[in-house]
Amino acid sequence: LAVEITGNLRLIIWVAFLLEVLRSAANAITNKRIFLFSYAAIFTLFVISIGVEVFGRINDIDAPHIFTYLYDLLLVTFGLILTEQLYRNTAQDKRWSIKFLCISVGLMFAYDLYMYSHATLFEGIDRSLWNARGYVNMVIMPLLAVSIARNPTWSFRMFVSRQVVFYSTGLIAIGIYMTLMAIGGYYVQIFGGEWGQEAQVVFLVGAIIILFVIMSSGALRAKARMFMSKHFYENKYDYREEWMGFVQKLSHIDSPRYLKEQILQTVAMIMHSRGSILYLRNEEKYQCVSAWNTDYCEQSFDVNSSLAEFLNNREWIIDVNEYRTHPENYDGFDLPEEFYAINAWLIVPLKHYYELIGFIILLEPFVKMQINWEDRDLLKAIGKQVSSYVAFMMASDSLAEAEKFSAFNRLSAYVVHDMKNSVAQLDLIVKNADRHKDNPEFIADSFMTVANVVDRMKRMLNQFKRMDMHKSEACRVDVNNVLRRIETKCADGKPQPRIQLLEAPVYVYVEADRFENVIEHMVSNAQDATSDDGRIEIRVLGKNNEVCIEIEDTGCGMTSEFISNHLFKPFDTTKGNAGMGVGVFEANEFVKYYGGQLNVKSEPGVGTTFSILLPIYNEEVSFESKAG
């Protein structure tokens, strides 16, 4: 019964389709009552035929089958008449568009007419005719496809999501693949001789493994999505789905520390890129702060570089492949050679209001593709959204840093109070020394007081280790003498530093005490990070008009991510409660204040090298011209 109902519904749908096409094909038939009467008659007869069929099955009567066949004959005949009327009432110059439709549908109805006529005469459907019916319908499909292509107005306003199409197509492909493998396994069993059964099992298991490998291939999935977007949809992207998915992924991040990596991963997956790199502005440079599925880039770019100015002024999506073939399209822009080495593909600017806060580098995609205006528009919209997230993250970091400085100031007030108490205790000893210096009890109590003060000062120094908040006046400082004193101070620690000085004295114009504290702090950090059997070397090199102080250790080293995001930030330390995390920050600020630069190179498990570059002191050149 279910087969007969679905077969009748199939014929009804085709008849209804022909009625609608006929009504819009020409003005020869304009009476809507005819169409309404036709629909009503078809539906009524359908209900009657189903009712008679159900009645016959309940009462075990075979005769009602004839009525169902007669109803099918009526529908088929009506369909042939509609096909003929459609061709007749279509204008002569437009018949080319419905020619293949009339041929294919007419052939389908003619075959059904013969089949149901045969069933009416012999009181049953011939199985061979019924089985061949599917192949007949398959033969007419190309003709229907041509007709649909020639008549785009026949499209229905029905939305099928890309996900449904993608997974449905995938299931169909899997079904075809498994069918072919089953056929192959069948022939393996036939021609395998004595080992047929075992060979068939091995063959099918291998086929399943290959299927899983293909299904897990990112490149193949990207090609499939690209093919369907190009050939099945008017637009390349489902913008609503892409936008909602992008915002949802960024809105469900538990910690801001994962925001940058999630941004890179999401943008790369939208464009089917193999990896991505994020550059953000840090003072006067754009530095790599995060990377997904690739290595960090040590190359930085000045804010006045051609790359930064081009992205800031044009706000273009830079296509590296297009730049290679048509560099004239990017007038005034020189692509850095480093981008070729990392297989860069697209560069997306991140502009917040009127400022370029960074850019994203997308690496080569899984499948070769040419980007068009849809790709560029989508990336520009995503770039605007990412800029808002990044700007908010940077503002949050600045606010958190300000709050930490406020807490630091409050802590300083407690330290000052503690120091005043210590000074008062020592002052009391000094005042009573002349009067009780010969009293053994006074001397014993004095030593206990001094020991207590020393312990208290050590605790404070552990928190503010080698920090001098007071800024003295700058003067000429001999670098060699400073390093000799630091070598003596740090000789008790392990490993002991070894220094290599220049033969002639070299001078810099800095605050002497702070300069010595900065170098001593960095050497102490190197000792903390290096095992006792390691090595620490301090070298002084002359470079043009600059002196370079290198502090190299063979300690645990640091990752590129830690150097970019944590090393030069205050209160961000790996020592836990043992440190305040302001030493390197203070050193960097000190060096920059006097016109120098602090660089670091490190590799986990190998070691770290800090390089301090400062202008060599020249009495003929004022300090302002150096430090300004």
Side-chain angles (χ1 to χ4, degrees), residues 74 239 306 529:
L74 178 62
Y239 294 99
S306 62

Side-chain angles (χ1 to χ4, degrees), residues 155-166 168 229 232-242 244:
S155 61
F156 294 96
R157 296 186 178 275
M158 182 175 61
F159 172 77
V160 180
S161 72
R162 296 168 187 258
Q163 294 293 333
V164 172
V165 173
F166 178 77
S168 299
S229 297
F232 288 90
Y233 291 95
E234 183 178 357
N235 295 321
K236 188 174 182 179
Y237 298 99
D238 184 347
Y239 294 99
R240 181 191 65 84
E241 181 179 343
E242 297 290 351
M244 292 299 294

Side-chain angles (χ1 to χ4, degrees), residues 116 183 213 244 350 359 362 370 453 514 553 569 578 620:
Y116 288 120
I183 295 173
V213 171
M244 292 299 294
L350 304 179
F359 52 89
L362 296 178
Q370 296 290 333
V453 171
R514 291 188 64 199
D553 65 70
K569 289 188 176 181
E620 298 178 357

Side-chain angles (χ1 to χ4, degrees), residues 204-274:
L204 291 178
V205 171
I208 294 174
I209 293 175
I210 294 173
L211 177 62
F212 284 140
V213 171
I214 294 174
M215 290 174 60
S216 61
S217 172
L220 185 62
R221 292 169 66 90
K223 290 180 180 180
R225 289 184 182 274
M226 188 67 61
F227 177 83
M228 285 187 291
S229 297
K230 183 184 296 185
H231 297 284
F232 288 90
Y233 291 95
E234 183 178 357
N235 295 321
K236 188 174 182 179
Y237 298 99
D238 184 347
Y239 294 99
R240 181 191 65 84
E241 181 179 343
E242 297 290 351
W243 188 253
M244 292 299 294
F246 179 76
V247 174
Q248 184 178 11
K249 289 180 180 179
L250 297 188
S251 301
H252 288 76
I253 300 177
D254 297 332
S255 175
R257 62 183 298 183
Y258 301 113
L259 176 62
K260 291 177 285 190
E261 184 176 351
Q262 185 64 45
I263 287 174
L264 292 178
Q265 181 179 357
T266 305
V267 176
M269 292 179 66
I270 290 176
M271 299 304 298
H272 309 295
S273 174
R274 298 179 184 272

Side-chain angles (χ1 to χ4, degrees), residues 259-376:
L259 176 62
K260 291 177 285 190
E261 184 176 351
Q262 185 64 45
I263 287 174
L264 292 178
Q265 181 179 357
T266 305
V267 176
M269 292 179 66
I270 290 176
M271 299 304 298
H272 309 295
S273 174
R274 298 179 184 272
S276 51
I277 303 171
L278 175 63
Y279 272 79
L280 292 181
R281 181 169 179 171
N282 183 11
E283 296 180 353
E284 298 301 315
K285 288 183 178 294
Y286 292 95
Q287 295 179 334
C288 174
V289 298
S290 185
W292 177 76
N293 208 29
T294 185
D295 296 329
Y296 268 69
C297 287
E298 297 183 359
Q299 178 70 21
S300 60
F301 303 94
D302 294 332
V303 294
N304 297 324
S305 62
S306 62
L307 172 64
E309 290 184 350
F310 184 86
L311 292 175
N312 189 37
N313 297 333
R314 300 287 188 90
E315 298 184 47
W316 281 12
I317 307 297
I318 298 177
D319 185 353
V320 177
N321 295 329
E322 182 185 25
Y323 178 84
R324 289 175 175 175
T325 56
H326 301 286
E328 65 276 5
N329 295 342
Y330 299 88
D331 187 25
F333 167 67
D334 294 326
L335 188 70
E337 293 294 333
E338 293 78 10
F339 287 178
Y340 295 113
I342 63 175
N343 294 323
W345 174 41
L346 299 175
I347 305 174
V348 183
L350 304 179
K351 194 169 183 180
H352 186 64
Y353 291 107
Y354 302 102
E355 179 186 6
L356 182 72
I357 62 175
F359 52 89
I360 295 176
I361 302 175
L362 296 178
L363 306 188
E364 287 289 344
F366 289 105
V367 54
K368 294 295 183 181
M369 54 182 289
Q370 296 290 333
I371 66 169
N372 56 16
W373 63 270
E374 288 189 85
D375 301 301
R376 296 180 184 275

